[in-house]
Amino acid sequence: MKLYLKLLISALVLSAGALVLPKMSLAAYGDTTTFLGKIYAGDGLGRTQALLDFPEDLEITADGTFFIADTYNNVIRKVSPDGTVSTYAGNGGYGNRDGVARGANFALPRGLARDTNGNLYVADSANNRIRVVKTNGTVSTLVRTGLKNPQGVLVNGSTLFIADTDNNAIRKISITGGRLLTVSTQVKAPKKLALSADGLELYVADSGSHRVLSVNIATGQASVIAGSGISGYWEGVGEEAIFQNVWGITRDGNTLYVSDGNGLTDYVRAIDLTTKQTSLFATDFRMQDLNFPCGLRVYGNNVYVANSGIGTIHRYSKSLPTDEEGFIGSTRFGNVDDIKGGVLLGRPAAFAMTTDGSIMYAAVNNQIKKIILATGETTTVIGDMVDDYGEGPANQETTRVRFSTISSIVLSSDDATLYLVDRWNNRVRKVTLAGTPTSSLITGAGLINSTGAMNNGYQEGTKCETQDLSVAGCAYFRGPQGIEISPDGQILYIADTGNNRIRSVRISDGLTTLIAGSGAAGSTNGVGDLASFNQPRRLAISEDGLTLYVAEQGSHRIRVIDLATQTVTTLVGNRVGYAEGKGVNAALSVPVGLAMGQNNLLYISNAGSSRITVVNTQTGIMTLVSGAGETGYRNGTRFQAKFNGLASLAVSRDGNTLYVADSTNDLIRTVDLVGGPKFGQPGPVYSRFLVARLKQVSSATQKAYLDIFGKNFRNGTQVTIGPYRLKTFVKSSTNINMLIPYGKMQPGLYDVKIVNRDTQQVIKKGAFAITDSKGNIPRKFFRISE
């Protein structure tokens, strides 16, 4: 996923179909550049070498040209009849820029439709817009407002129909523009559309109701073609049939083809429009031919399916579905150690650095990569891109070593063993790196290749080679995502995310022990199981091994665990958002990554605000490291940089560089740490009082409202005059008002302190005065008293 140098964005587009991502010379704190990877790649290659990222739809022209919504690459790809891959529109950056097609931005394009003039309509889902790629090589916006996560489009003559997914509606608009009209609201999360032979009905992949519907275009009335309304799988007639997830739909004569499944076992199903009988057309439980199938099209005697889960377009013969092939696409997300002289990373997620800092291991798309930091040379150590569970040596042929989302990794102190949490396999595993890398189980049991909806349960215990649940003596995790190791290398600490607990694992035998967390989602501080967590995501440990830090995604906090007493406290954050500050005055947004640096500095990746922040663990003050707060891709200063899908962080051994998993951009970025930390916003500046002196009065209850003028005042700014902490009102960034109890104040000169919520302050000595009854100011000073 996503960032560029300001001037590079529009100018630097390659014929190879990707932005050039050179390593810049960093000069200032927070400066951000790209260390490794490309946003997307594969242009100029043959169709079976295409590198697609969650493609969700396709269009096919009469001459056999394919257009593909390359959804998470944020581009529209083109495959010519001779099989050559190119980029038709978009530069890979996340955004909504119109203009020249190859310089445009999209944000998760999910649906495609083409009119008779060759213009391509795009359901630009995350922008809530409909975009048009015109034959003149430009991109414009047809619909700017009124939609929410549109995922399907269909052209019929001069009308464009839109699956307005999150608004539970079907809309329409003229292809020349005009008013956006509602066709029907009798749908639930519609994904894709097809047209009846007479042009009077829309066939709808109605994912929210688990049905295939027919919607009368004139009346908006919806009727059921097939589906009972419950989730599952069953072939039958009409409402006897059961669908699990209705993702895509296309019509060929009297037959509808529908994509269905759950990502583990997936289907293409056929529906006879005369009888409403459903039948199985194709299926796959290996995640090789079908995986999260989405858009479908029929061309000639073949059905083509966009596999969003594995980044391919698969072909099936209509008359003989066993005549099938991977028609377009290579590896899921794109994950290649060398592609036209560069590295293509698919969802970098986690880092671990060797003791000398020369090598960094990275979890990338269910594989472990080894990266030589001096050169960027990358090799695959172990793993396979397809989710599953398998232990053993990396080179074995019979049973491949497989993982199901490696969320966090950590190295032993001798750099010989890599420990990891295998999230959807609900296990803690290790990889020995000497000789042939070999994977083995540390602890855990139960479900493999599961999903968030599948509850593996909670139980302390040890490792068990079983996929059964609730076996006595076995340890059970639920989607663990964080791991750390004790300085003596004997204990692993695990963020058991789905169980809202922090646990320890004795490496020697896999025995687990609860450290903290009741299991209920919450943010209560306390000791052991009296404390609560809400989706603890990742961990960091202090250098002395006495303190564990927890990035708590659900409550937007960084929590602290004293490992000796199991006491849980909050270091920073108490609400979602972004604000520099101290303790609960600071705000985080979906903190998902942590890295311990030098001088008590803890770095935090905020996926929700696309920012990296740092907190001093001794003072509790948090400040900005890098990030403009917008999702996208841009290199530049700490205030210009954009990220997309922030994940893990790692600090170089000299403390000068932060490595960033910019996951959805498929990049590893670097951020300069020299000269920090620094506040991202300027501190308050005092200019003057509107009234700088008051005369002493006899009534002790006398009060007055006074104004101070200056700069950089913000919500929460506090004024103190001498020993008095005043009720303060921020009227604007240049004007604050406070209530002064001057009846209590003795004649003399008073220091004035102005403090912003982020702890930045200014003190002006003797700025305010109380005069005596004669109007004189005694040489008596009242300093700030806290």
Side-chain angles (χ1 to χ4, degrees), residues 81-134:
D82 68 1
T84 303
V85 179
S86 62
T87 297
Y88 188 64
N91 64 11
Y94 183 105
N96 59 14
R97 178 187 299 131
D98 288 335
V100 176
R102 290 296 303 276
N105 297 149
F106 297 92
L108 306 184
R110 297 184 189 273
L112 295 179
R114 193 168 179 267
D115 67 20
T116 55
N117 294 320
N119 298 309
L120 198 64
Y121 299 84
V122 182
D124 196 12
S125 66
N127 280 324
N128 301 311
R129 296 181 176 190
I130 303 300
R131 315 283 291 284
V132 187
V133 185
K134 299 180 179 179

Short mmCIF file of all heavy atoms in Angstrom, two decimals, residues 81-134:
data_model
loop_
_atom_site.label_atom_id
_atom_site.label_comp_id
_atom_site.label_asym_id
_atom_site.label_seq_id
_atom_site.Cartn_x
_atom_site.Cartn_y
_atom_site.Cartn_z
N PRO A 81 -4.84 -9.23 -26.03
CA PRO A 81 -5.10 -10.57 -26.57
C PRO A 81 -3.86 -11.44 -26.70
O PRO A 81 -3.96 -12.67 -26.63
CB PRO A 81 -5.74 -10.27 -27.93
CG PRO A 81 -6.40 -8.94 -27.75
CD PRO A 81 -5.48 -8.17 -26.85
N ASP A 82 -2.68 -10.82 -26.87
CA ASP A 82 -1.46 -11.62 -26.94
C ASP A 82 -0.91 -11.97 -25.57
O ASP A 82 0.14 -12.62 -25.45
CB ASP A 82 -0.39 -10.92 -27.78
CG ASP A 82 0.16 -9.65 -27.12
OD1 ASP A 82 -0.27 -9.31 -25.98
OD2 ASP A 82 1.00 -8.97 -27.74
N GLY A 83 -1.60 -11.55 -24.50
CA GLY A 83 -1.22 -11.93 -23.14
C GLY A 83 -0.31 -10.96 -22.42
O GLY A 83 0.12 -11.23 -21.30
N THR A 84 -0.02 -9.80 -23.01
CA THR A 84 0.88 -8.84 -22.36
C THR A 84 0.13 -8.01 -21.32
O THR A 84 -0.96 -7.50 -21.57
CB THR A 84 1.50 -7.90 -23.41
OG1 THR A 84 2.19 -8.67 -24.39
CG2 THR A 84 2.47 -6.93 -22.75
N VAL A 85 0.75 -7.87 -20.16
CA VAL A 85 0.14 -7.15 -19.04
C VAL A 85 0.60 -5.70 -19.04
O VAL A 85 1.79 -5.41 -19.25
CB VAL A 85 0.53 -7.80 -17.70
CG1 VAL A 85 -0.08 -7.04 -16.52
CG2 VAL A 85 0.10 -9.26 -17.67
N SER A 86 -0.33 -4.78 -18.80
CA SER A 86 0.01 -3.37 -18.66
C SER A 86 -0.95 -2.73 -17.67
O SER A 86 -1.94 -3.33 -17.27
CB SER A 86 -0.06 -2.65 -20.01
OG SER A 86 -1.39 -2.70 -20.52
N THR A 87 -0.62 -1.50 -17.27
CA THR A 87 -1.52 -0.74 -16.40
C THR A 87 -2.30 0.23 -17.26
O THR A 87 -1.74 1.04 -17.99
CB THR A 87 -0.73 0.01 -15.33
OG1 THR A 87 -0.05 -0.93 -14.50
CG2 THR A 87 -1.64 0.85 -14.46
N TYR A 88 -3.62 0.13 -17.15
CA TYR A 88 -4.51 0.96 -17.97
C TYR A 88 -4.80 2.29 -17.29
O TYR A 88 -4.89 3.32 -17.95
CB TYR A 88 -5.80 0.19 -18.23
CG TYR A 88 -6.74 0.85 -19.21
CD1 TYR A 88 -6.36 1.02 -20.54
CD2 TYR A 88 -8.00 1.28 -18.81
CE1 TYR A 88 -7.23 1.61 -21.45
CE2 TYR A 88 -8.87 1.88 -19.70
CZ TYR A 88 -8.48 2.04 -21.02
OH TYR A 88 -9.34 2.63 -21.92
N ALA A 89 -4.94 2.27 -15.97
CA ALA A 89 -5.23 3.50 -15.23
C ALA A 89 -4.76 3.35 -13.79
O ALA A 89 -4.86 2.28 -13.20
CB ALA A 89 -6.72 3.83 -15.28
N GLY A 90 -4.29 4.47 -13.24
CA GLY A 90 -3.82 4.48 -11.86
C GLY A 90 -2.32 4.36 -11.76
O GLY A 90 -1.67 3.78 -12.64
N ASN A 91 -1.76 4.92 -10.69
CA ASN A 91 -0.31 4.81 -10.47
C ASN A 91 0.03 4.01 -9.22
O ASN A 91 1.17 3.95 -8.81
CB ASN A 91 0.34 6.19 -10.42
CG ASN A 91 -0.15 7.04 -9.25
OD1 ASN A 91 -0.82 6.55 -8.34
ND2 ASN A 91 0.18 8.32 -9.27
N GLY A 92 -0.99 3.39 -8.62
CA GLY A 92 -0.76 2.58 -7.44
C GLY A 92 -0.98 3.30 -6.13
O GLY A 92 -1.09 2.68 -5.08
N GLY A 93 -1.06 4.62 -6.18
CA GLY A 93 -1.29 5.39 -4.97
C GLY A 93 -2.76 5.37 -4.57
O GLY A 93 -3.66 5.38 -5.41
N TYR A 94 -2.98 5.33 -3.28
CA TYR A 94 -4.34 5.36 -2.73
C TYR A 94 -4.82 6.80 -2.70
O TYR A 94 -4.20 7.66 -2.08
CB TYR A 94 -4.29 4.76 -1.33
CG TYR A 94 -5.61 4.61 -0.60
CD1 TYR A 94 -6.20 3.36 -0.45
CD2 TYR A 94 -6.23 5.71 -0.01
CE1 TYR A 94 -7.39 3.22 0.26
CE2 TYR A 94 -7.41 5.58 0.69
CZ TYR A 94 -7.98 4.33 0.83
OH TYR A 94 -9.16 4.19 1.54
N GLY A 95 -5.92 7.10 -3.37
CA GLY A 95 -6.42 8.47 -3.39
C GLY A 95 -7.55 8.62 -4.37
O GLY A 95 -8.15 7.63 -4.83
N ASN A 96 -7.87 9.86 -4.76
CA ASN A 96 -8.99 10.09 -5.67
C ASN A 96 -8.67 11.12 -6.75
O ASN A 96 -9.54 11.85 -7.20
CB ASN A 96 -10.23 10.53 -4.89
CG ASN A 96 -10.02 11.79 -4.08
OD1 ASN A 96 -9.04 12.51 -4.30
ND2 ASN A 96 -10.93 12.08 -3.17
N ARG A 97 -7.43 11.17 -7.16
CA ARG A 97 -7.02 12.14 -8.17
C ARG A 97 -7.53 11.74 -9.56
O ARG A 97 -7.35 10.62 -10.01
CB ARG A 97 -5.51 12.27 -8.21
CG ARG A 97 -5.03 13.26 -9.29
CD ARG A 97 -3.53 13.29 -9.47
NE ARG A 97 -2.90 13.70 -8.24
CZ ARG A 97 -1.88 13.05 -7.69
NH1 ARG A 97 -1.43 11.96 -8.26
NH2 ARG A 97 -1.34 13.48 -6.60
N ASP A 98 -8.18 12.70 -10.23
CA ASP A 98 -8.54 12.54 -11.64
C ASP A 98 -7.41 13.07 -12.50
O ASP A 98 -6.41 13.60 -12.01
CB ASP A 98 -9.84 13.30 -11.94
CG ASP A 98 -11.06 12.65 -11.33
OD1 ASP A 98 -11.03 11.42 -11.10
OD2 ASP A 98 -12.06 13.36 -11.08
N GLY A 99 -7.59 12.94 -13.83
CA GLY A 99 -6.60 13.46 -14.76
C GLY A 99 -6.09 12.39 -15.69
O GLY A 99 -6.83 11.46 -16.05
N VAL A 100 -4.84 12.52 -16.09
CA VAL A 100 -4.24 11.54 -16.99
C VAL A 100 -4.31 10.16 -16.34
O VAL A 100 -3.99 9.99 -15.15
CB VAL A 100 -2.77 11.90 -17.28
CG1 VAL A 100 -2.12 10.84 -18.15
CG2 VAL A 100 -2.70 13.26 -17.97
N ALA A 101 -4.75 9.18 -17.10
CA ALA A 101 -5.08 7.86 -16.54
C ALA A 101 -3.95 7.26 -15.73
O ALA A 101 -4.16 6.75 -14.63
CB ALA A 101 -5.51 6.91 -17.66
N ARG A 102 -2.73 7.31 -16.25
CA ARG A 102 -1.62 6.67 -15.55
C ARG A 102 -1.14 7.46 -14.34
O ARG A 102 -0.34 6.96 -13.55
CB ARG A 102 -0.45 6.44 -16.51
CG ARG A 102 -0.71 5.36 -17.55
CD ARG A 102 -0.88 3.98 -16.92
NE ARG A 102 0.27 3.62 -16.12
CZ ARG A 102 1.39 3.09 -16.61
NH1 ARG A 102 1.50 2.84 -17.90
NH2 ARG A 102 2.39 2.78 -15.81
N GLY A 103 -1.63 8.66 -14.15
CA GLY A 103 -1.30 9.45 -12.97
C GLY A 103 -2.43 9.53 -11.97
O GLY A 103 -2.29 10.16 -10.92
N ALA A 104 -3.55 8.88 -12.28
CA ALA A 104 -4.73 8.96 -11.41
C ALA A 104 -4.55 8.07 -10.18
O ALA A 104 -3.73 7.16 -10.15
CB ALA A 104 -5.97 8.54 -12.19
N ASN A 105 -5.35 8.36 -9.17
CA ASN A 105 -5.41 7.53 -7.96
C ASN A 105 -6.79 6.89 -7.84
O ASN A 105 -7.79 7.52 -8.15
CB ASN A 105 -5.16 8.35 -6.70
CG ASN A 105 -3.80 8.98 -6.64
OD1 ASN A 105 -3.64 10.04 -6.07
ND2 ASN A 105 -2.80 8.33 -7.21
N PHE A 106 -6.80 5.67 -7.33
CA PHE A 106 -8.04 5.00 -6.93
C PHE A 106 -7.88 4.55 -5.49
O PHE A 106 -6.77 4.50 -4.95
CB PHE A 106 -8.32 3.79 -7.82
CG PHE A 106 -8.54 4.12 -9.28
CD1 PHE A 106 -7.49 4.11 -10.19
CD2 PHE A 106 -9.80 4.44 -9.74
CE1 PHE A 106 -7.68 4.41 -11.52
CE2 PHE A 106 -10.01 4.75 -11.07
CZ PHE A 106 -8.95 4.74 -11.97
N ALA A 107 -9.01 4.19 -4.88
CA ALA A 107 -9.00 3.67 -3.51
C ALA A 107 -9.86 2.42 -3.47
O ALA A 107 -11.08 2.49 -3.32
CB ALA A 107 -9.50 4.72 -2.53
N LEU A 108 -9.23 1.28 -3.67
CA LEU A 108 -9.87 -0.03 -3.68
C LEU A 108 -10.96 -0.13 -4.75
O LEU A 108 -12.15 -0.28 -4.46
CB LEU A 108 -10.44 -0.37 -2.31
CG LEU A 108 -9.47 -0.30 -1.13
CD1 LEU A 108 -10.16 -0.76 0.15
CD2 LEU A 108 -8.23 -1.12 -1.39
N PRO A 109 -10.57 -0.07 -6.02
CA PRO A 109 -11.56 -0.26 -7.09
C PRO A 109 -12.06 -1.70 -7.11
O PRO A 109 -11.26 -2.63 -7.21
CB PRO A 109 -10.77 0.08 -8.36
CG PRO A 109 -9.33 -0.21 -8.00
CD PRO A 109 -9.21 0.12 -6.54
N ARG A 110 -13.37 -1.90 -7.01
CA ARG A 110 -13.92 -3.24 -6.86
C ARG A 110 -14.83 -3.67 -8.00
O ARG A 110 -15.13 -4.87 -8.12
CB ARG A 110 -14.71 -3.34 -5.55
CG ARG A 110 -13.88 -3.13 -4.30
CD ARG A 110 -14.72 -3.35 -3.05
NE ARG A 110 -14.03 -2.96 -1.83
CZ ARG A 110 -13.23 -3.74 -1.13
NH1 ARG A 110 -12.99 -4.98 -1.54
NH2 ARG A 110 -12.64 -3.29 -0.04
N GLY A 111 -15.32 -2.77 -8.82
CA GLY A 111 -16.24 -3.16 -9.87
C GLY A 111 -15.92 -2.48 -11.18
O GLY A 111 -15.47 -1.32 -11.18
N LEU A 112 -16.17 -3.17 -12.31
CA LEU A 112 -15.90 -2.63 -13.63
C LEU A 112 -17.10 -2.86 -14.55
O LEU A 112 -17.79 -3.88 -14.45
CB LEU A 112 -14.68 -3.29 -14.27
CG LEU A 112 -13.31 -3.09 -13.63
CD1 LEU A 112 -12.26 -3.86 -14.43
CD2 LEU A 112 -12.95 -1.61 -13.55
N ALA A 113 -17.32 -1.90 -15.44
CA ALA A 113 -18.30 -2.05 -16.52
C ALA A 113 -17.84 -1.20 -17.69
O ALA A 113 -17.19 -0.16 -17.50
CB ALA A 113 -19.69 -1.63 -16.07
N ARG A 114 -18.19 -1.62 -18.89
CA ARG A 114 -17.70 -0.94 -20.10
C ARG A 114 -18.87 -0.61 -21.01
O ARG A 114 -19.75 -1.45 -21.23
CB ARG A 114 -16.69 -1.84 -20.80
CG ARG A 114 -15.85 -1.20 -21.88
CD ARG A 114 -14.72 -2.13 -22.27
NE ARG A 114 -13.88 -1.58 -23.32
CZ ARG A 114 -14.06 -1.81 -24.62
NH1 ARG A 114 -15.05 -2.61 -25.01
NH2 ARG A 114 -13.26 -1.28 -25.52
N ASP A 115 -18.90 0.63 -21.53
CA ASP A 115 -19.98 1.00 -22.44
C ASP A 115 -19.58 0.70 -23.89
O ASP A 115 -18.45 0.25 -24.16
CB ASP A 115 -20.40 2.46 -22.25
CG ASP A 115 -19.32 3.47 -22.64
OD1 ASP A 115 -18.40 3.13 -23.41
OD2 ASP A 115 -19.40 4.63 -22.17
N THR A 116 -20.48 0.94 -24.80
CA THR A 116 -20.25 0.59 -26.21
C THR A 116 -19.19 1.45 -26.86
O THR A 116 -18.65 1.09 -27.90
CB THR A 116 -21.57 0.71 -27.00
OG1 THR A 116 -22.11 2.03 -26.82
CG2 THR A 116 -22.59 -0.32 -26.51
N ASN A 117 -18.87 2.58 -26.23
CA ASN A 117 -17.81 3.45 -26.76
C ASN A 117 -16.43 3.09 -26.22
O ASN A 117 -15.44 3.71 -26.60
CB ASN A 117 -18.12 4.90 -26.43
CG ASN A 117 -19.36 5.41 -27.14
OD1 ASN A 117 -19.60 5.09 -28.31
ND2 ASN A 117 -20.18 6.18 -26.42
N GLY A 118 -16.38 2.13 -25.30
CA GLY A 118 -15.10 1.71 -24.75
C GLY A 118 -14.71 2.39 -23.46
O GLY A 118 -13.62 2.12 -22.93
N ASN A 119 -15.57 3.27 -22.94
CA ASN A 119 -15.28 3.90 -21.65
C ASN A 119 -15.49 2.88 -20.53
O ASN A 119 -16.44 2.10 -20.56
CB ASN A 119 -16.17 5.11 -21.42
CG ASN A 119 -15.95 6.19 -22.47
OD1 ASN A 119 -14.81 6.59 -22.72
ND2 ASN A 119 -17.03 6.65 -23.08
N LEU A 120 -14.61 2.92 -19.54
CA LEU A 120 -14.63 1.95 -18.46
C LEU A 120 -15.09 2.63 -17.18
O LEU A 120 -14.52 3.64 -16.76
CB LEU A 120 -13.24 1.36 -18.27
CG LEU A 120 -13.09 0.05 -17.49
CD1 LEU A 120 -13.80 -1.09 -18.23
CD2 LEU A 120 -11.62 -0.30 -17.31
N TYR A 121 -16.13 2.08 -16.56
CA TYR A 121 -16.69 2.64 -15.32
C TYR A 121 -16.18 1.82 -14.14
O TYR A 121 -16.16 0.59 -14.18
CB TYR A 121 -18.22 2.64 -15.38
CG TYR A 121 -18.72 3.49 -16.52
CD1 TYR A 121 -18.81 2.97 -17.81
CD2 TYR A 121 -19.06 4.82 -16.32
CE1 TYR A 121 -19.23 3.75 -18.87
CE2 TYR A 121 -19.49 5.62 -17.37
CZ TYR A 121 -19.57 5.07 -18.65
OH TYR A 121 -19.98 5.87 -19.71
N VAL A 122 -15.76 2.54 -13.10
CA VAL A 122 -15.09 1.91 -11.97
C VAL A 122 -15.84 2.21 -10.69
O VAL A 122 -16.07 3.38 -10.36
CB VAL A 122 -13.63 2.41 -11.84
CG1 VAL A 122 -12.92 1.71 -10.68
CG2 VAL A 122 -12.87 2.21 -13.15
N ALA A 123 -16.21 1.14 -9.96
CA ALA A 123 -16.75 1.32 -8.61
C ALA A 123 -15.56 1.51 -7.68
O ALA A 123 -14.91 0.55 -7.27
CB ALA A 123 -17.58 0.10 -8.21
N ASP A 124 -15.27 2.77 -7.38
CA ASP A 124 -14.10 3.14 -6.57
C ASP A 124 -14.55 3.13 -5.11
O ASP A 124 -14.90 4.16 -4.54
CB ASP A 124 -13.61 4.51 -7.01
CG ASP A 124 -12.21 4.83 -6.54
OD1 ASP A 124 -11.52 3.91 -6.04
OD2 ASP A 124 -11.80 6.00 -6.63
N SER A 125 -14.50 1.96 -4.51
CA SER A 125 -15.28 1.69 -3.30
C SER A 125 -14.89 2.55 -2.10
O SER A 125 -15.75 3.10 -1.41
CB SER A 125 -15.20 0.21 -2.94
OG SER A 125 -13.89 -0.16 -2.55
N ALA A 126 -13.60 2.66 -1.80
CA ALA A 126 -13.19 3.39 -0.60
C ALA A 126 -13.33 4.89 -0.77
O ALA A 126 -13.34 5.63 0.22
CB ALA A 126 -11.76 3.02 -0.21
N ASN A 127 -13.43 5.36 -2.01
CA ASN A 127 -13.71 6.77 -2.25
C ASN A 127 -15.20 7.06 -2.31
O ASN A 127 -15.60 8.22 -2.45
CB ASN A 127 -13.06 7.24 -3.57
CG ASN A 127 -11.59 7.53 -3.42
OD1 ASN A 127 -11.16 8.04 -2.40
ND2 ASN A 127 -10.81 7.21 -4.44
N ASN A 128 -16.02 6.00 -2.29
CA ASN A 128 -17.49 6.15 -2.39
C ASN A 128 -17.87 6.90 -3.67
O ASN A 128 -18.81 7.71 -3.67
CB ASN A 128 -18.04 6.89 -1.17
CG ASN A 128 -17.74 6.16 0.12
OD1 ASN A 128 -17.97 4.97 0.24
ND2 ASN A 128 -17.19 6.88 1.09
N ARG A 129 -17.16 6.57 -4.75
CA ARG A 129 -17.36 7.28 -6.01
C ARG A 129 -17.44 6.30 -7.18
O ARG A 129 -16.99 5.16 -7.08
CB ARG A 129 -16.22 8.26 -6.28
CG ARG A 129 -16.12 9.39 -5.26
CD ARG A 129 -15.00 10.35 -5.57
NE ARG A 129 -14.99 11.46 -4.63
CZ ARG A 129 -14.23 12.54 -4.76
NH1 ARG A 129 -13.41 12.65 -5.79
NH2 ARG A 129 -14.30 13.51 -3.87
N ILE A 130 -17.98 6.81 -8.27
CA ILE A 130 -17.89 6.12 -9.56
C ILE A 130 -16.98 6.94 -10.44
O ILE A 130 -17.22 8.13 -10.66
CB ILE A 130 -19.28 5.94 -10.21
CG1 ILE A 130 -20.22 5.19 -9.27
CG2 ILE A 130 -19.14 5.22 -11.55
CD1 ILE A 130 -19.78 3.80 -8.88
N ARG A 131 -15.95 6.30 -10.94
CA ARG A 131 -14.96 6.96 -11.80
C ARG A 131 -15.11 6.43 -13.23
O ARG A 131 -15.62 5.31 -13.44
CB ARG A 131 -13.55 6.69 -11.29
CG ARG A 131 -13.36 6.85 -9.78
CD ARG A 131 -13.27 8.29 -9.35
NE ARG A 131 -12.04 8.91 -9.80
CZ ARG A 131 -10.85 8.70 -9.24
NH1 ARG A 131 -10.73 7.88 -8.20
NH2 ARG A 131 -9.76 9.31 -9.70
N VAL A 132 -14.65 7.20 -14.18
CA VAL A 132 -14.70 6.79 -15.59
C VAL A 132 -13.31 6.89 -16.18
O VAL A 132 -12.67 7.95 -16.10
CB VAL A 132 -15.66 7.67 -16.41
CG1 VAL A 132 -15.81 7.09 -17.82
CG2 VAL A 132 -17.02 7.78 -15.73
N VAL A 133 -12.84 5.78 -16.74
CA VAL A 133 -11.60 5.79 -17.50
C VAL A 133 -12.00 5.91 -18.96
O VAL A 133 -12.56 4.98 -19.54
CB VAL A 133 -10.76 4.52 -17.27
CG1 VAL A 133 -9.42 4.64 -17.99
CG2 VAL A 133 -10.56 4.26 -15.79
N LYS A 134 -11.73 7.06 -19.53
CA LYS A 134 -12.20 7.33 -20.89
C LYS A 134 -11.20 6.85 -21.92
O LYS A 134 -10.01 6.67 -21.64
CB LYS A 134 -12.45 8.83 -21.05
CG LYS A 134 -13.52 9.36 -20.10
CD LYS A 134 -13.75 10.85 -20.28
CE LYS A 134 -14.84 11.35 -19.33
NZ LYS A 134 -15.05 12.82 -19.47
#
